[in-house]
Amino acid sequence: MALSFIDYAIIGSFFLISTVIGVVSSRRAGKSFSEYFLAGGQMSWWMLGISMVATTFAADTPNLVTGIVRNDGVSGNWVWWAFLLTGLLTVFVYAKLWKRSGVATDLEFYELRYSGSAAGFLRGFRSIYLGVVFNCLVMANVILAGIKLGGVLLGASPLEVVLITGTVTVIYTLMGGLRGVILTDCFQFVMAMFGAIAAAYVVCNRPEVGGFAQLLEHPEVQQKMNLLPDLTDMDAMIPLIIMPFAVQWWSGWYPGAEPGGGGYVAQRMLGAKSERDATRATLLFQATHYALRPWPWIVVALASIVVFPTLESIQKAFPDIDPQFVQDDLAYPAMLTFLPTGLLGLVIASLIAAFMSTISTHLNWGASYIAHDFYKRFVDREANDERLVMIGRVATVGLMLLSGFVALTLESAMQNFSIILQIGAGTGLIYILRWLWWRINAFTEITGMVVSLLVAMFFQFVSPALELPALAAWQELLIGVGLTTAAWVAVTFVTPATDEATLRAFYQKIRPGGSGWKPVQQRLEAEGIVVRIEDSISRGLMAMVAATFLIYSVLFSTGYALYREWTHLVVSLVVLLFSAMALRWIGNTKVDKTSHV
């Protein structure tokens, strides 16, 4: 597809602005580990919130949503919309605890919470397991989207896309550290949102579609529009509603939606100025991520059903694309080929922005694990900040190379999404309870991590090799959660607890509250040690429920307004109003008690 001079000028201007931000940020980035990986812990809440949204606004996300809509309808998005509960639990219960911990990475938490060689092993192993294995799987998904976008919009080969985008992103990430990532994220998010909305408007007005009103009347589109699956269709209800809300949100682990917080979300919270800023940043992220962003992608996905009703129609329109990559998620970049000069360049730049914001965050986050939690902890305890930054930069290059290689082996965004969900199945409850129950120990986490991985590998490789009967993804997930949870609960009770000194120090520093720490509280009380408890877990959970209704109401209200379903819109707005009032009331309820605990 040929781009005009204007298109190239817009794309070039985007690269120039991003590079300037990186250059300016580089003046401070290399000063210390804290500056390079935590932006000095002094970033504003709104910038951190937008940065998290920009990170999850990856180049693969529109493709993923498009594939879901084309296969399962709009209601198919509940497979990830349900993670809102996970995010809001982090907002109202855990954000302040993360900031209070004072750790440099979320993996350093392990030796704050647990004791002995098991804690050290867990920290080191997860620095590689998450920082390399999981991280590269996520980045590979993003690069796969770049491959499809580059093939459709620019006629580039998969290898060309990997080499060019990988080189540009690595250079940019190496320069600015986390501060540069966050500042550029804010600029890139504005571009990405504008590009997504503009693309939705243009494709709806294509002659084949006939405008938005005509789109909504198309028979095939009407079958895909429902925000909720058919309540009588258990084949849809189980994987889209029952499993996500009954099991998935608390039991699974997915980057950006970790129960109890973690990964780059924890990195952003640790980079906030205060506990309040950490909470506000994470709330902004959840509201924008789930309530505002999906609709432009959904509109394009619905329009693609009219223009490209089958995979064969996509392959016919783009015969040079490798058939391996012709899946339903390719329909999104295919629709963008209809954009006019100027807007095409802007949208391509916005997708590059989405790509860069996600990859740069994952590179910086993964490199922080390798430098701080592996190299300094196990290789060179005396390493200074300059050396740690250098190790982080080397790790950045290595992570990019490995992710690019993995991306060349994948076929669809949904394929990798399912693999990652299965690998984390059954571990989520551990990350919730470790803050709230003293008995959780390092062996609990090791067991959960190992068993969940073994179950995922069985379903991915062993079961097909043995030609066992295929199971639905939700069935595999449920089995994984059951086996993993049973294993870690058993191990928790048969292995030694974390030593008393570590438990006491953790409780006094974090002040989590709750009855799960009662034995530790009683022993401290006997010695007359006073701990001030300012947080109420029950109030946090109430706020979580109110905010869940609030954000889903915004999501539904936007959809019903687009669909012109006015009765449903009024109901959604009423729910929105009452949930906002409830959240405000809960926020004004003060908890301030001093306990001899």
Side-chain angles (χ1 to χ4, degrees):
M1 181 178 183
L3 273 67
S4 70
F5 172 78
I6 295 176
D7 294 322
Y8 282 114
I10 292 173
I11 296 171
S13 298
F14 160 75
F15 278 119
L16 178 61
I17 294 172
S18 298
T19 302
V20 168
I21 295 174
V23 170
V24 172
S25 302
S26 67
R27 299 175 183 176
R28 299 178 62 177
K31 290 184 177 180
S32 67
F33 178 90
S34 177
E35 271 294 337
Y36 193 78
F37 289 112
L38 291 176
Q42 293 297 312
M43 297 303 294
S44 300
W45 66 271
W46 63 270
M47 297 181 72
L48 291 167
I50 292 175
S51 177
M52 285 187 271
V53 180
T55 296
T56 55
F57 192 153
D60 66 312
T61 317
N63 292 16
L64 174 65
V65 171
T66 299
I68 289 173
V69 172
R70 287 172 62 90
N71 283 286
D72 301 312
V74 175
S75 63
N77 286 285
W78 285 106
V79 72
W80 66 274
W81 282 345
F83 278 125
L84 172 64
L85 277 70
T86 310
L88 291 178
L89 184 65
T90 298
V91 171
F92 294 107
V93 177
Y94 296 106
K96 60 176 71 71
L97 304 184
W98 274 112
K99 184 60 181 175
R100 200 174 293 167
S101 71
V103 295
T105 69
D106 61 314
L107 296 189
E108 187 179 341
F109 166 88
Y110 289 121
E111 293 188 291
L112 178 70
R113 173 63 177 83
Y114 308 129
S115 59
S117 58
F121 168 80
L122 184 59
R123 180 180 178 183
F125 183 82
R126 284 185 73 82
S127 67
I128 304 301
Y129 181 68
L130 295 182
V132 179
V133 179
F134 249 89
N135 202 21
C136 287
L137 281 174
V138 175
M139 287 193 290
N141 231 24
V142 180
I143 297 169
L144 174 64
I147 289 172
K148 297 190 176 187
L149 289 167
V152 171
L153 298 176
L154 302 173
S157 71
L159 185 58
E160 288 174 335
V161 171
V162 170
L163 291 177
I164 295 173
T165 58
T167 300
V168 172
T169 307
V170 164
I171 292 173
Y172 154 74
T173 307
L174 291 176
M175 292 173 61
L178 183 61
R179 184 181 300 274
V181 169
I182 292 172
L183 292 174
T184 311
D185 278 351
C186 293
F187 160 64
Q188 292 172 346
F189 175 69
V190 173
M191 283 199 64
M193 277 304 299
F194 181 81
I197 294 171
Y201 176 80
V202 170
V203 299
C204 281
N205 287 283
R206 288 287 304 172
E208 302 94 324
V209 179
F212 192 70
Q214 190 71 22
L215 173 67
L216 298 181
E217 296 177 3
H218 193 282
E220 295 298 324
V221 171
Q222 288 184 341
Q223 296 178 20
K224 304 289 187 180
M225 287 171 48
N226 291 336
L227 298 183
L228 292 170
D230 183 352
L231 301 181
T232 64
D233 182 4
M234 295 307 294
D235 288 338
M237 284 294 294
I238 291 176
L240 297 181
I241 298 295
I242 296 175
M243 279 295 296
F245 281 95
V247 178
Q248 181 178 301
W249 76 269
W250 57 263
S251 66
W253 186 98
Y254 189 82
E258 302 90 341
Y264 63 79
V265 174
Q267 185 188 38
R268 298 302 194 276
M269 291 188 287
L270 294 169
K273 294 180 180 179
S274 64
E275 293 176 19
R276 184 185 181 193
D277 279 3
T279 301
R280 293 169 75 184
T282 317
L283 180 58
L284 174 61
F285 163 46
Q286 303 300 331
T288 308
H289 178 60
Y290 291 99
L292 300 180
R293 284 191 332 185
W295 281 109
W297 305 331
I298 291 172
V299 170
V300 174
L302 293 174
S304 77
I305 296 172
V306 178
V307 181
F308 299 109
T310 64
L311 295 182
E312 289 74 17
S313 62
I314 299 176
Q315 182 72 76
K316 183 178 179 180
F318 304 97
D320 295 332
I321 299 294
D322 188 333
Q324 169 189 347
F325 298 118
V326 180
Q327 306 292 330
D328 281 297
D329 58 353
L330 191 67
Y332 188 84
M335 292 297 292
L336 300 185
T337 61
F338 298 120
L339 299 181
T341 297
L343 182 57
L344 177 60
L346 180 63
V347 170
I348 291 176
S350 74
L351 292 171
I352 295 172
F355 177 93
M356 291 177 61
S357 64
T358 303
I359 294 295
S360 59
T361 286
H362 280 272
L363 289 174
N364 184 271
W365 162 54
S368 73
Y369 283 179
I370 295 171
H372 183 68
D373 298 294
F374 185 80
Y375 182 82
K376 184 174 184 178
R377 174 63 178 80
F378 297 100
V379 179
D380 184 2
R381 287 180 174 270
E382 304 302 320
N384 57 27
D385 283 355
E386 182 179 357
R387 185 163 186 80
L388 289 178
V389 171
M390 185 272 289
I391 294 296
R393 284 173 167 156
V394 172
T396 296
V397 176
L399 289 172
M400 189 70 239
L401 291 173
L402 182 58
S403 301
F405 174 78
V406 174
L408 294 173
T409 68
L410 298 175
E411 295 181 4
S412 73
M414 195 64 193
Q415 173 194 18
N416 205 16
F417 179 77
S418 299
I419 293 173
I420 293 173
L421 280 182
Q422 185 63 56
I423 291 177
T427 61
L429 190 58
I430 300 174
Y431 308 131
I432 294 174
L433 292 180
R434 64 186 183 181
W435 297 88
L436 306 178
W437 185 29
W438 70 276
R439 194 61 179 83
I440 296 291
N441 59 39
F443 297 104
T444 305
E445 292 214 29
I446 293 171
T447 301
M449 181 174 54
V450 171
V451 174
S452 66
L453 179 61
L454 290 176
V455 173
M457 293 302 99
F458 174 83
F459 284 127
Q460 187 67 24
F461 302 109
V462 178
S463 182
L466 297 177
E467 298 182 351
L468 298 177
L471 299 176
W474 70 264
Q475 293 173 318
E476 294 181 352
L477 184 68
L478 189 60
I479 293 172
V481 169
L483 292 175
T484 301
T485 302
W488 69 253
V489 168
V491 168
T492 298
F493 286 105
V494 301
T495 52
T498 300
D499 70 45
E500 183 70 12
T502 301
L503 290 174
R504 290 187 175 203
F506 179 83
Y507 184 76
Q508 292 179 78
K509 181 173 186 176
I510 303 301
R511 309 187 302 280
S515 59
W517 287 89
K518 188 174 181 180
V520 179
Q521 294 173 354
Q522 291 174 336
R523 290 191 288 270
L524 287 170
E525 182 180 24
E527 299 177 13
I529 298 177
V530 176
V531 177
R532 189 182 183 89
I533 305 297
E534 299 174 345
D535 308 312
S536 168
I537 295 175
S538 60
R539 183 179 64 155
L541 293 176
M542 288 190 296
M544 168 190 162
V545 173
T548 298
F549 279 97
L550 175 63
I551 293 175
Y552 280 149
S553 296
V554 175
L555 174 70
F556 275 56
S557 297
T558 305
Y560 289 136
L562 289 171
Y563 291 173
R564 303 175 187 180
E565 297 182 8
W566 308 122
T567 302
H568 290 126
L569 174 61
V570 170
V571 173
S572 294
L573 291 175
V574 170
V575 175
L576 189 157
L577 175 63
F578 277 98
S579 56
M581 293 171 59
L583 186 61
R584 182 177 178 84
W585 176 79
I586 295 168
N588 289 334
T589 304
K590 301 297 182 183
V591 175
D592 186 6
K593 64 179 181 178
T594 300
S595 302
H596 292 272
V597 292

